[in-house]
Amino acid sequence: MSLLLAPYNDSMRLGMGFNSYTQTLCIDGAVTVAPGSVEKLRADDPSQTVTYSSRLVETLGELVDSMSISYSSSIKKGTVEIGGSASAINEDKIKSSDINAVVSVKVVNQTTILTENVIFQATKDVAAFSPRFNEIYGDCYISGFIEGGEFTGIASIRSLDRSKTSSITTAIKSSLSAGKQEDFTLDAMNFGGGGLSSSVLKDTETTISISWMGGGQVKEPKTAWDLDSMFTAAAAFPASVAACPQRTWAILTKYKANKSFVEQWQEGNKLTPLEYDNVASYTAELFDSYMEYKQLLKQVQYMMANPDNYKVQQNVHNAIPPEINTLVAVRSALRNEMNKIVRVVDILAKNPEILKISQDNDSGPTNSLVRSIVLESSQAWQDTADSKTVGDVTRLSAFPGPQSVLSDTSTVERTDKSTKANTLTDVNEPTDLDEGATDKSTATEETAEDKPMIDFAKLLAPEIWAKLLPVLKPGIDPGQPSKQDSVMPMPAGFPPIPGTNAPTQPDPVDPSAVKHLLKIEAAAYGGVDVTEEVRNLVTEGCILELNTDQLGAILPATPLGDWRVLSLMYRWDTKPRYQLAIMRDHSGIFKFTPSLEPAVNTGAIYYPQPEGNSFPFLYSAIYGDSAVSNQGRFVLFHALNTKEAVEITNETMGGDPWVGTIKSVAVFYQKVKDGPIFVATAAERSTLRWV
């Protein structure tokens, strides 16, 4: 039986509780580690165990599976991480590429394990595998570590000439000697002969993503990463790990496999441990849907910025027009679907049995055609004397078992007692994804009837939305911004709906006639202070024009791997109030001029200078593309007054305003009266420090 493993991080300790489904740490000291109970095992001669793997993958889900990354953890974090970094995998490139070649090298130098002398440490008034127990202890504990190294290289290749995609893909696969299982040899790409020639890769775009643990420096610093250097580094990686190993994996042991644990509850108690094996494949489907929704969200965002590039599909029922108000509603609906998937993962983490219970209570597909096919097939093998005719689709007792929501909801049609047929499920209606019963701390045994149910019909497959979205007009390059981008006045506060047709503004006036000048007090973009950079973009002392499609090229930022936000506090020198502006990537062109200033007064967020001795003073804090909640503001206000650092997470900020996106926070504050405005900024899952 293979080992149960989890990617290693520095917070792990031997004997610590762990949830193998969400890959989250639980209570420290779940089991005692007595002196002499730690044993270190080295690989036999040769002194390393090396596993090479090379294959072609088509979806992000296949990549995650090949790298043993947790699906549920990726869903909750909104991105795929390798070794705690989300920048190692370019999700957009993998999704848009024609071929993704993945090379993996795993090296084991030494294994540290706990011996059998390990005693479980119970907590008073917490029954085994009660909801409270599962929250505190998880389903297993860390019983060892694997030391060595791991190298992962991803080469994403995309044809630039889409008419030649098929021929280029075939040529690349032939050069790689890929078989039916999409495997290829490790040295297929390099050293001349059978490798990829420059002619095969002509007119293609190749993106190389590399990550490794252990081994130190795996290539010459002056050598750029390309296909040859990737495979050369992979081939030499075991030798590098021999000189510089590190911990790469944690070994997990189920509590039910611990003798002392079983002995504590063996009399008069029924142990029902968390078992996630039955929900693994379903969670993989949820992951694929979540990532599809994430891509659709980006498409809709681009449509909102460039509505003139798109048109509504003809002769398609419920086709979505490229209208801003409609696209805003669609964007909210897509985010709502992503939130539903996250809630399902949270419920399954607390009680994986809910999936089976809900499926057992499922009456079958609601689509009449699918229901008829399933019923006909089930009646064919049932062969009962009293069975009704195959055409009788009202007899659901012959339905053999539950089906996945991701296949059963392959149509937008739904018929039940409370809704009419041929209607889209209301994305804003209350869902039955209530996890109330699983959140209670109780030592009593739960029955199947007491456990919360998951209404699978509330989840919509992303393919439904994909078939209804607007399509590009003929001759429009999807990679280019609209030639008719509107120039919008920039309101102080939250940005207007991208793509709205603002009235054309007059040309900038002569600076000698301007009575007030634009003062940029502070600015942050993607977790980086860009105050000076934005100040340098102001022309004639009063004109600032920002194309949000180009922010990443003109402003420094942390590699968040997704949409970023520019937040800036500014004022006009003749007015004492400060104004806040927030701009998201790819949301249009924004312009600040003295003549536009009166047009943005309505609904603007103004900050008059504080009176008295209320300093330091926190003006505003932006997390993602929204103001932080009251809870997050309280945390930041307390930290500002005590000069304490703050770990930026959805929990400390009081919620996740931008699901599926790695966010940053920008905090605008003033230390002393009439002093300068400062901005403290940091990316999500990093530390915010005060200037």
Side-chain angles (χ1 to χ4, degrees):
M1 182 177 179
S2 60
L3 292 174
L4 182 60
L5 302 175
Y8 173 79
N9 68 67
D10 291 334
S11 300
M12 292 178 168
R13 300 291 184 270
L14 287 174
M16 180 178 286
F18 196 82
N19 186 298
S20 61
Y21 181 68
T22 59
Q23 291 189 348
T24 53
L25 298 172
C26 298
I27 189 172
D28 192 11
V31 298
T32 58
V33 182
S37 62
V38 179
E39 182 179 357
K40 294 186 177 182
L41 305 175
R42 292 191 61 87
D44 295 330
D45 188 23
S47 62
Q48 291 179 317
T49 301
V50 182
T51 303
Y52 291 96
S53 174
S54 52
R55 62 189 303 235
L56 302 178
V57 299
E58 296 182 357
T59 66
L60 191 59
E62 290 181 272
L63 176 62
V64 170
D65 180 64
S66 67
M67 300 175 67
S68 301
I69 300 174
S70 169
Y71 289 113
S72 60
S73 176
S74 299
I75 291 174
K76 290 177 67 66
K77 292 179 180 178
T79 188
V80 180
E81 292 186 350
I82 301 179
S85 172
S87 60
I89 294 182
N90 192 323
E91 299 169 8
D92 293 336
K93 290 295 183 182
I94 293 174
K95 180 70 177 178
S96 62
S97 296
D98 302 312
I99 286 183
N100 295 288
V102 180
V103 175
S104 175
V105 183
K106 297 181 180 180
V107 183
V108 177
N109 280 18
Q110 178 176 274
T111 302
T112 302
I113 61 173
L114 296 178
T115 61
E116 297 180 358
N117 186 24
V118 176
I119 308 300
F120 175 78
Q121 298 297 304
T123 300
K124 185 179 180 180
D125 298 330
V126 177
F129 299 117
S130 65
R132 181 63 174 164
F133 177 94
N134 297 334
E135 179 183 352
I136 295 175
Y137 287 93
D139 64 314
C140 56
Y141 62 91
I142 299 175
S143 60
F145 297 113
I146 293 178
E147 298 180 18
E150 183 169 2
F151 177 96
T152 301
I154 307 171
S156 301
I157 305 173
R158 182 179 185 271
S159 171
L160 299 178
D161 186 348
R162 304 311 294 166
S163 63
K164 299 179 180 179
T165 299
S166 179
S167 59
I168 291 177
T169 301
T170 302
I172 292 175
K173 288 184 177 181
S174 177
S175 299
L176 293 176
S177 304
K180 295 182 179 181
Q181 300 300 320
E182 300 300 308
D183 293 332
F184 57 90
T185 58
L186 183 63
D187 59 350
M189 284 189 179
N190 58 350
F191 306 131
L196 281 172
S197 62
S198 58
S199 61
V200 175
L201 294 177
K202 185 180 180 181
D203 297 327
T204 64
E205 176 190 69
T206 302
T207 302
I208 306 294
S209 301
I210 306 293
S211 67
W212 71 92
M213 294 184 293
Q217 183 60 257
V218 297
K219 73 170 182 63
E220 293 295 331
K222 295 183 180 180
T223 303
W225 282 115
D226 56 19
L227 294 173
D228 285 344
S229 61
M230 181 179 76
F231 277 82
T232 301
F237 187 65
S240 300
V241 171
C244 185
Q246 75 173 60
R247 290 179 175 177
T248 55
W249 295 92
I251 303 174
L252 309 177
T253 298
K254 294 284 188 178
Y255 287 115
K256 64 180 182 180
N258 184 284
K259 182 179 179 181
S260 68
F261 174 83
V262 176
E263 288 176 345
Q264 292 188 42
W265 278 286
Q266 66 180 352
E267 296 182 2
N269 290 280
K270 178 183 178 182
L271 296 180
T272 54
L274 293 171
E275 294 291 351
Y276 294 114
D277 293 342
N278 294 332
V279 300
S281 60
Y282 179 69
T283 307
E285 295 178 33
L286 290 178
F287 171 82
D288 288 335
S289 292
Y290 185 90
M291 290 303 170
E292 285 293 334
Y293 272 120
K294 189 174 180 180
Q295 293 296 322
L296 289 177
L297 200 60
K298 294 180 180 180
Q299 293 180 29
V300 171
Q301 193 69 37
Y302 184 83
M303 293 175 187
M304 293 171 61
N306 304 278
D308 295 333
N309 288 359
Y310 292 85
K311 65 178 182 178
V312 65
Q313 298 190 59
Q314 301 298 319
N315 302 320
V316 175
H317 181 59
N318 287 331
I320 299 171
E323 299 172 355
I324 295 300
N325 291 338
T326 303
L327 292 176
V328 169
V330 170
R331 182 179 64 179
S332 298
L334 297 180
R335 286 178 175 171
N336 191 38
E337 293 300 321
M338 296 172 72
N339 287 333
K340 290 179 186 178
I341 294 175
V342 173
R343 289 198 295 271
V344 170
V345 169
D346 286 336
I347 294 173
L348 293 177
K350 295 180 179 180
N351 192 346
E353 292 182 4
I354 295 179
L355 179 63
K356 182 179 184 301
I357 296 172
S358 300
Q359 289 179 333
D360 289 342
N361 292 332
D362 189 4
S363 61
T366 57
N367 179 269
S368 58
L369 176 60
V370 177
R371 187 171 59 204
S372 178
I373 293 173
V374 173
L375 184 62
E376 180 178 346
S377 301
S378 64
Q379 287 180 338
W381 62 261
Q382 198 169 31
D383 194 24
T384 56
D386 61 343
S387 61
K388 296 183 179 181
T389 60
V390 170
D392 184 7
V393 297
T394 62
R395 183 175 186 264
L396 297 178
S397 60
F399 181 63
Q403 300 295 316
S404 169
V405 60
L406 301 181
S407 59
D408 279 354
T409 55
S410 58
T411 173
V412 297
E413 298 179 2
R414 182 183 175 192
T415 305
D416 55 36
K417 296 180 181 179
S418 59
T419 59
K420 297 181 180 180
N422 303 323
T423 60
L424 277 170
T425 302
D426 184 3
V427 297
N428 294 317
E429 63 180 314
T431 68
D432 294 332
L433 302 177
D434 183 15
E435 52 184 292
T438 61
D439 201 33
K440 297 179 180 180
S441 300
T442 175
T444 60
E445 181 179 349
E446 290 182 303
T447 62
E449 291 75 13
D450 295 331
K451 296 175 181 178
M453 303 298 293
I454 301 176
D455 188 355
F456 290 155
K458 298 294 184 180
L459 297 175
L460 293 180
E463 291 79 6
I464 295 175
W465 294 100
K467 293 181 179 180
L468 302 177
L469 289 175
V471 295
L472 280 169
K473 294 179 180 178
I476 297 294
D477 184 355
Q480 297 296 325
S482 171
K483 296 180 180 180
Q484 302 178 6
D485 281 334
S486 301
V487 177
M488 297 171 286
M490 182 64 230
F494 299 98
I497 299 173
T500 52
N501 294 321
T504 304
Q505 302 297 331
D507 293 331
V509 297
D510 186 348
S512 61
V514 177
K515 296 182 179 180
H516 45 266
L517 301 178
L518 179 60
K519 301 291 186 181
I520 304 298
E521 298 292 341
Y525 176 63
V528 175
D529 186 340
V530 294
T531 304
E532 290 301 325
E533 287 80 358
V534 175
R535 286 173 179 169
N536 293 334
L537 296 176
V538 178
T539 59
E540 302 178 10
C542 61
I543 309 297
L544 176 61
E545 183 171 334
L546 295 169
N547 185 343
T548 56
D549 288 331
Q550 301 174 359
L551 292 180
I554 62 177
L555 297 176
T558 55
L560 300 182
D562 225 314
W563 302 74
R564 290 165 294 197
V565 170
L566 170 63
S567 306
L568 64 92
M569 184 166 280
Y570 68 100
R571 68 181 179 91
W572 300 98
D573 64 340
T574 57
K575 299 181 180 180
R577 64 195 181 195
Y578 297 101
Q579 297 179 228
L580 178 66
I582 304 174
M583 291 158 282
R584 183 166 48 191
D585 280 344
H586 312 297
S587 58
I589 300 176
F590 300 90
K591 197 169 185 178
F592 301 72
T593 70
S595 58
L596 290 181
E597 203 274 337
V600 302
N601 284 343
T602 304
I605 300 179
Y606 298 123
Y607 296 95
Q609 295 185 4
E611 300 294 337
N613 297 318
S614 56
F615 292 92
F617 184 81
L618 195 155
Y619 282 93
S620 183
I622 305 301
Y623 184 49
D625 60 347
S626 307
V628 299
S629 66
N630 289 335
Q631 173 188 331
R633 188 177 179 89
F634 175 81
V635 171
L636 293 170
F637 179 79
H638 174 76
L640 174 61
N641 281 271
T642 59
K643 301 301 180 183
E644 295 177 354
V646 182
E647 293 298 321
I648 303 303
T649 65
N650 293 330
E651 290 72 23
T652 57
M653 294 297 99
D656 189 353
W658 206 350
V659 177
T661 301
I662 303 176
K663 300 164 284 296
S664 61
V665 66
V667 184
F668 297 91
Y669 64 100
Q670 195 173 32
K671 295 181 180 180
V672 296
K673 184 175 177 59
D674 298 326
I677 301 294
F678 293 90
V679 60
T681 183
E684 184 179 356
R685 297 196 292 276
S686 65
T687 303
L688 176 73
R689 304 185 187 279
W690 305 103
V691 180

